[in-house]
Amino acid sequence: MLLGVAIIVGLLWLFYKHWVSNYNYWKKRGIPSYPAEFPYGSDPNLVQLKKFKGYTIDKMYHEFAAYPMFGIFVLKKPMLIVKDPELVQLVLTKEFSHFRDRGLIELTQKDILNHHLFHLRGDKWRAIRMKITPTFTSGKMKAMFPLFISCAESFSSLLLSKADSKVDIKELVGRFTADVISTCAFGLETDVINHPDNKLRKIGIERIKVPFIRKLKTALARLFPAFSAILNKRSNESENQDYVINLVKNIIEQRENNGIVRNDFIDLLIQLKNKGNLGDDRKESEESFEMTLELMTAQCFSFFLAGFETSSSVQSFCLYELALHQDIQSKVINEINEKIEKNNGLTYKALNEMEYLDMVISETTRKYPTLSDLHRECTKSITLSSGQKIEKDTAIIIPTWSLHHDPQYFPDPDKFDPERFSQENRDSIIPYTYLPFGEGPRMCIGMRFGLLQTKVGILTVLRKFKVEPCEDTKIPLVMGANSATTSSDKPIIIKLVARS
């Protein structure tokens, strides 16, 4: 009996020693690091995620204000937080070949919906990125603009039914963005604006949430990397995954059988599927691949997810700030009226002339970046000019939230000030301190689409309404922990006031 207890105690002690011995990782490499304690590492919240991760990293960021980078531990896994703008540029752009993957999850064949550009690695990511990029040119956006306007008209009718009442603004704009993305990506007339319980939208909302079971899987995957593929298997419920696959399959069959061409996102994927590989323009270093139904489904679902969630968040944060700053709101409304009148209606040209609206949206994405941090993985060891070495497989974190709220880059960072992004001031922003869409070859491919969608949504509200705070408006907002993107912990409630 005593022998058995002694063996168990001995094994536990060895396990503990093996675990905590890794906490010397950064010290051995001459890189300053945040203290770590068994079992969580540098901070329990990086594992438990009980509060917004941006707040946790921001605390560390300021404690290491004098250093260009510093190490942390999540459980026993070492991660490097890169905070100096020049080092951020090195990771995202200058030495991209050393940091080209995100390394967030291990992909499995059964977890189909995760095989999209955000998670794909290496040559497969590069090949698909090159082929999909033409979908998001300014010319394509202009061609899609009538679809945006059609959705905006339905959205306007919904807003009229809410006149002079308190609303959860993210819920409303979320219906609009889901309609736009369904129309432009899938060619579907979903009418989510009037039918908010649409199946595809519900799947998207569930996917953005971070429930306890997903937090647990993430923690275990970091703790036992060899088993991460098993732990992440079928991270989407099989029923939801099958629904999205069948939806895309039916759209493809309908288009191919009836010769339907819309020149949209799914059309490009159909062309790639029928071509079979990268063809004559494939470089030797690229990986030949087959654009299967599963791969097409993953790209479509990723486009949908990013399109409706990120844009609805930016719009809701923007309208919240405009409600609190009536002077800024008045300038936006005056510009919208002026440009629409000048161009004899709401045209693509009129929208692109709304410079102050651009400034307001830029300041919104500065104060509320969609992702609190960017992730990269070192795919090839590199020695920095300082002599410090970043080894292959090292996880890199770029603290977007902290950079956007650092007073040395953005004075009085909690103040909502669109003038930071005026023509006179924009050039004074230090490169790689403002990263709402990332930077470099892996920056957000749908940036143009997202901005267009955001502008149309905001001006649709402001053409007929003012937004005002009410007794249920939370001031200031506090970011929550249960979303994969930056999101308020409480609904954003404002009042819609009809304009005469």
Side-chain angles (χ1 to χ4, degrees):
M1 179 68 177
L2 290 176
L3 178 61
V5 172
I7 291 173
I8 292 172
V9 171
L11 289 173
L12 289 175
W13 183 83
L14 288 172
F15 175 76
Y16 169 80
K17 291 297 290 183
H18 170 71
W19 189 294
V20 299
S21 67
N22 209 46
Y23 292 160
N24 289 320
Y25 181 91
W26 294 117
K27 184 178 181 180
K28 290 178 180 177
R29 287 155 180 79
I31 294 175
S33 63
Y34 201 84
E37 294 182 359
F38 178 85
Y40 292 114
S42 296
D43 193 295
N45 188 60
L46 293 177
V47 179
Q48 299 170 342
L49 298 177
K50 290 184 177 180
K51 65 178 181 180
F52 178 56
K53 187 170 65 169
Y55 296 153
T56 303
I57 293 180
D58 194 54
K59 176 176 175 289
M60 299 175 175
Y61 176 97
H62 287 289
E63 289 188 28
F64 283 81
Y67 298 95
M69 61 183 181
F70 63 94
I72 64 169
F73 296 89
V74 178
L75 297 171
K76 70 182 185 72
K77 181 178 178 62
M79 295 186 174
L80 185 65
I81 294 185
V82 174
K83 57 191 286 290
D84 177 76
E86 290 188 5
L87 281 181
V88 172
Q89 183 179 23
L90 181 142
V91 170
L92 296 181
T93 306
K94 284 187 175 179
E95 298 292 347
F96 175 74
S97 63
H98 290 265
F99 303 96
R100 69 176 185 173
D101 293 340
R102 288 196 170 95
L104 290 169
I105 64 171
E106 292 295 328
L107 297 174
T108 70
Q109 292 303 311
K110 290 186 177 180
D111 191 11
I112 293 168
L113 297 188
N114 270 334
H115 284 252
H116 51 72
L117 279 177
F118 192 83
H119 288 309
L120 286 174
R121 302 182 180 211
D123 289 338
K124 194 164 194 176
W125 162 79
R126 184 173 183 271
I128 295 178
R129 171 89 183 201
M130 288 175 63
K131 290 300 179 180
I132 291 178
T133 296
T135 306
F136 299 97
T137 61
S138 57
K140 291 284 188 181
M141 295 302 100
K142 185 175 181 180
M144 291 182 185
F145 189 66
L147 299 176
F148 284 73
I149 297 304
S150 177
C151 294
E153 290 170 354
S154 297
F155 183 39
S156 184
S157 297
L158 172 65
L159 293 171
L160 286 171
S161 70
K162 307 289 184 180
D164 300 315
S165 63
K166 297 181 292 186
V167 298
D168 178 346
I169 194 62
K170 187 175 181 183
E171 162 65 19
L172 291 187
V173 297
R175 297 196 211 177
F176 164 70
T177 56
D179 245 7
V180 170
I181 201 73
S182 297
T183 300
C184 295
F186 296 95
L188 296 173
E189 302 298 331
T190 53
D191 193 21
V192 176
I193 288 171
N194 295 306
H195 300 90
D197 291 332
N198 173 269
K199 173 81 170 178
L200 190 58
R201 179 174 181 248
K202 289 177 73 174
I203 291 174
I205 291 172
E206 289 175 12
R207 185 62 178 152
I208 289 296
K209 292 178 181 177
V210 187
F212 172 76
I213 188 65
R214 194 181 302 170
K215 294 177 184 178
L216 179 62
K217 282 184 176 182
T218 300
L220 290 174
R222 285 173 176 161
L223 181 56
F224 304 110
F227 299 105
S228 60
I230 297 173
L231 292 167
N232 282 304
K233 182 162 46 175
R234 297 303 294 258
S235 61
N236 297 86
E237 294 180 10
S238 58
E239 179 185 344
N240 291 344
Q241 181 165 281
D242 292 342
Y243 174 84
V244 179
I245 292 172
N246 288 329
L247 178 66
V248 173
K249 179 182 178 182
N250 291 335
I251 293 170
I252 293 170
E253 289 179 350
Q254 183 182 28
R255 292 195 184 189
E256 291 187 326
N257 293 339
N258 297 287
I260 299 172
V261 177
R262 287 174 52 95
N263 296 315
D264 59 8
F265 185 67
I266 210 165
D267 268 0
L268 180 60
L269 298 180
I270 290 173
Q271 292 173 27
L272 289 176
K273 176 180 73 74
N274 292 336
K275 193 172 184 180
N277 56 51
L278 298 180
D280 295 336
D281 59 352
R282 176 167 60 89
K283 296 180 180 179
E284 291 300 320
S285 61
E286 287 182 354
E287 175 186 344
S288 178
F289 72 94
E290 179 185 1
M291 182 57 78
T292 62
L293 171 64
E294 290 76 17
L295 201 53
M296 296 171 75
T297 300
Q299 310 320 308
C300 287
F301 184 69
S302 171
F303 187 22
F304 174 82
L305 200 62
F308 100 84
E309 169 58 27
T310 60
S311 183
S312 63
S313 292
V314 174
Q315 289 176 57
S316 57
F317 286 133
C318 184
L319 291 166
Y320 167 83
E321 290 289 349
L322 293 178
L324 300 186
H325 299 87
Q326 292 292 314
D327 55 334
I328 296 175
Q329 182 178 173
S330 294
K331 288 183 69 174
V332 175
I333 289 173
N334 290 338
E335 181 184 62
I336 289 171
N337 293 339
E338 175 192 335
K339 300 304 179 183
I340 289 176
E341 181 178 354
K342 174 187 172 184
N343 290 276
N344 297 314
L346 179 53
T347 63
Y348 186 73
K349 182 173 180 289
L351 194 68
N352 284 327
E353 290 178 0
M354 297 179 188
E355 294 181 2
Y356 192 69
L357 177 59
D358 274 336
M359 292 162 55
V360 168
I361 293 172
S362 294
E363 175 66 349
T364 301
T365 55
R366 195 266 323 159
K367 191 172 180 181
Y368 306 97
T370 299
L371 296 177
S372 66
D373 48 84
L374 305 177
H375 285 251
R376 292 294 185 270
E377 181 180 73
C378 183
T379 53
K380 185 167 55 174
S381 296
I382 183 173
T383 300
L384 306 178
S385 59
S386 61
Q388 295 161 314
K389 184 178 181 180
I390 301 178
E391 296 176 5
K392 184 178 183 296
D393 298 328
T394 300
I396 309 292
I397 296 175
I398 296 168
T400 312
W401 177 275
S402 297
L403 289 167
H404 285 201
H405 290 83
D406 191 330
Q408 69 173 316
Y409 306 131
F410 300 98
D412 196 3
D414 291 332
K415 180 182 179 181
F416 187 78
D417 182 12
E419 293 301 324
R420 301 181 202 270
F421 295 91
S422 66
Q423 290 296 330
E424 297 78 16
N425 295 330
R426 183 179 286 269
D427 289 342
S428 66
I429 295 174
I430 296 174
Y432 293 85
T433 61
Y434 176 62
L435 302 164
F437 298 98
E439 269 294 350
R442 284 202 87 130
M443 75 180 296
C444 177
I445 193 173
M447 179 180 69
R448 283 194 181 97
F449 186 96
L451 287 173
L452 182 60
Q453 187 174 224
T454 297
K455 290 177 186 177
V456 173
I458 291 170
L459 72 83
T460 300
V461 174
L462 297 181
R463 284 185 77 180
K464 295 182 179 179
F465 298 92
K466 286 178 61 181
V467 289
E468 296 179 354
C470 61
E471 63 273 16
D472 294 329
T473 304
K474 190 169 183 180
I475 305 173
L477 292 178
V478 176
M479 301 302 106
N482 293 320
S483 174
T485 58
T486 301
S487 181
S488 171
D489 69 337
K490 303 291 184 183
I492 301 177
I493 308 298
I494 56 177
K495 186 176 183 180
L496 286 178
V497 180
R499 290 170 52 204
S500 58

